[in-house]
Amino acid sequence: MINSKSEVGSMLKVGLHKERVNSYLEGKNIFPVTLELDLTSECTRVCPECPSINSAKHHHLTIDFLEKLFANLKGQTSGLLLTGGEPTMSLLFPKVLENARRFGFQEIAVVTNGSLINRSHVADALLKYATTIRLSMYDWEDNSKGGVGSTLKRIEFLRQRIDREGSELKIGASALTSASRVGQLDSLVERLRTAGVHWIYFHPLCSKWGLGSPELADQDGVSAKIEQIRAGRNGGNDVFFIRERYQNTDLRFNGYHAAHFLLVVGADGLNYLAPEVKYQSKFVIADFHEDDRLDILWDARRLDLISSIHSQSYSALQSRHRSILYNHFLEGLLRQEKNSLEDFKIAAKTRFSFPHIL
Ligand SMILES: C[S@@+](CC[C@H](N)C(=O)[O-])C[C@H]1O[C@@H](n2cnc3c(N)ncnc32)[C@H](O)[C@@H]1O
């Protein structure tokens, strides 16, 4: 289990980076807190709603490209989140983790479907360099698809190596929720705990994600169930979710501020506005191939594209993705709204696991 008094995710997590937020509010150029990177758009699975799988041609980043990017962010950006595609499929996976540490990233998180985590070159690199993995559980809700037994076995095996070798690596597991899956959440949590995960994260299943306009599946009863597990007899300190993803409060912003805090780079080397619109050409805000200068981050065209995004017309608003929630919070701070200023104080006092992973 990770620190029992800490949270993994929240709309306010960006507010933990108080100095950076204040600099942004003062109109200064800031470096991102987190780099979210797809090493490859290829995957071992074919999920119908996934944006990576939709691309006509697969892409892979090169070591040369990555070293330039890491060098540009060195000493400024401390969090690296590898996702994809399936990051562990990349032949560069161990080298990239090693380089990321060499270039000063303090926290490295890997989002993976877990299919390759027991290959020795993948497991060795995870145990040595990664801070945490977030293992996405698929097909747990439908026993007819063969269930999750093999994934749980791989988790068990990795956990045994962590304990035996004294690695700092934490194993997280994530599961996509919907109203129809509420009844299976308890047993999934139990099975994951028995397999040896340190933390569990629930997030909402979306449809139309690959089209750039993700919408949440019906989430009726989900957050109440998660709250119940968190308060449960067996302890719920290892179970997390972002509450605001499950609410239907208004989200408002003029400009996509979160793009300055979370830098999203696809396997095609393009900088996308946000995770929820990855691989959507109309949301490309910079091309790191064209220009590897550091100041591409503050290039006038990039800044204009970021400020041109408004909540009224943003096609992915309904996904209530974490980045959209950060954005809403940052907008409230810019407008000096009372609630947001109070929340900013709360953020500073909240303990987060993996604080550099937005
Ligand atoms: C696209 S995957 C890429 C990384 C890796 N291959 C994996 O499976 O974790 C990243 C995240 O997207 C989530 N995801 C997959 N299908 C989704 C859907 N229909 N709606 C919302 N999230 C989804 C996965 O659960 C995973 O946590």
Side-chain angles (χ1 to χ4, degrees):
M1 205 181 285
I2 52 179
N3 187 317
S4 62
K5 292 212 173 64
S6 64
E7 287 290 334
V8 163
S10 146
M11 176 170 91
L12 309 185
K13 194 169 187 179
V14 67
L16 192 63
H17 302 273
K18 196 172 161 193
E19 274 178 35
R20 219 169 294 216
V21 171
N22 281 331
S23 296
Y24 179 70
L25 298 177
E26 286 162 19
K28 294 184 186 151
N29 290 336
I30 57 158
F31 278 90
V33 172
T34 309
L35 169 63
E36 177 176 321
L37 198 65
D38 290 1
L39 296 183
T40 174
S41 58
E42 262 188 301
C43 191
T44 50
R45 287 181 54 90
V46 183
C47 301
E49 300 285 356
C50 179
S52 304
I53 222 76
N54 279 347
S55 64
K57 175 173 170 294
H58 277 298
H59 300 275
H60 316 271
L61 294 178
T62 64
I63 277 288
D64 197 36
F65 176 92
L66 289 165
E67 288 201 347
K68 280 186 196 143
L69 183 59
F70 287 0
N72 278 339
L73 300 173
K74 191 171 179 190
Q76 304 288 343
T77 300
S78 300
L80 175 65
L81 175 64
L82 295 178
T83 175
E86 176 48 46
T88 60
M89 254 185 107
S90 165
L91 297 175
L92 302 178
F93 183 74
K95 184 77 190 149
V96 173
L97 289 196
E98 183 186 346
N99 279 355
R101 287 290 177 195
R102 197 159 50 83
F103 280 94
F105 285 98
Q106 287 173 37
E107 284 168 8
I108 302 174
V110 179
V111 180
T112 171
N113 62 34
S115 52
L116 306 176
I117 55 167
N118 288 152
R119 298 264 169 101
S120 56
H121 70 287
V122 173
D124 291 350
L126 288 172
L127 289 163
K128 190 160 179 194
Y129 302 114
T131 311
T132 189
I133 58 170
R134 197 188 82 192
L135 208 148
S136 312
M137 303 300 293
Y138 296 102
D139 303 334
W140 53 273
E141 73 289 1
D142 182 359
N143 282 333
S144 67
K145 288 194 181 164
V148 287
S150 54
T151 309
L152 295 171
K153 280 260 166 312
R154 285 193 287 272
I155 293 175
E156 260 176 53
F157 187 71
L158 188 65
R159 179 59 195 262
Q160 282 163 12
R161 276 199 66 181
I162 289 174
D163 293 344
R164 209 169 44 235
E165 297 170 33
S167 164
E168 301 275 306
L169 177 72
K170 300 284 183 251
I171 305 177
S174 72
L176 293 164
T177 60
S178 65
S180 63
R181 299 175 175 186
V182 169
Q184 283 103 295
L185 293 188
D186 278 315
S187 69
L188 178 67
V189 166
E190 273 327 296
R191 294 180 79 186
L192 287 169
R193 284 177 177 159
T194 307
V197 302
H198 297 93
W199 56 277
I200 299 167
Y201 177 72
F202 289 115
H203 54 159
L205 177 72
C206 292
S207 59
K208 298 196 202 160
W209 192 22
L211 304 175
S213 51
E215 288 173 7
L216 299 188
D218 179 7
Q219 300 295 324
D220 204 24
V222 173
S223 64
K225 181 72 216 175
I226 300 172
E227 295 287 13
Q228 194 192 76
I229 296 174
R230 278 170 63 92
R233 245 183 324 120
N234 299 334
N237 289 333
D238 53 348
V239 174
F240 303 94
F241 74 129
I242 300 182
R243 270 188 195 85
E244 295 83 358
R245 291 209 68 189
Y246 291 87
Q247 295 166 347
N248 57 8
T249 48
D250 255 3
L251 297 172
R252 273 181 297 148
F253 46 83
N254 286 314
Y256 202 100
H257 321 292
H260 296 289
F261 294 82
L262 176 60
L263 178 65
V264 177
V265 178
D268 50 9
L270 301 177
N271 172 204
Y272 291 90
L273 179 78
E276 67 275 6
V277 289
K278 209 159 36 179
Y279 301 113
Q280 297 296 315
S281 52
K282 75 176 195 196
F283 293 108
V284 173
I285 53 174
D287 182 345
F288 286 105
H289 286 115
E290 269 173 18
D291 201 334
D292 55 27
R293 286 171 308 127
L294 182 62
D295 51 11
I296 189 172
L297 288 178
W298 309 296
D299 178 89
R301 194 168 158 272
R302 184 176 185 269
L303 298 185
D304 283 350
L305 287 167
I306 293 173
S307 359
S308 72
I309 307 293
H310 302 291
S311 48
Q312 303 95 297
S313 54
Y314 186 48
S315 58
L317 190 76
Q318 295 312 324
S319 70
R320 304 182 72 86
H321 200 276
R322 72 188 198 282
S323 178
I324 296 172
L325 297 172
Y326 298 151
N327 213 39
H328 173 78
F329 170 53
L330 290 163
E331 174 83 17
L333 291 178
L334 270 170
R335 290 172 186 256
Q336 303 222 314
E337 284 170 10
K338 199 163 159 270
N339 288 350
S340 307
L341 294 170
E342 282 302 312
D343 281 347
F344 199 16
K345 289 187 199 145
I346 293 172
K349 287 190 213 142
T350 307
R351 282 168 62 177
F352 285 102
S353 303
F354 327 121
H356 298 285
I357 306 293
L358 288 181

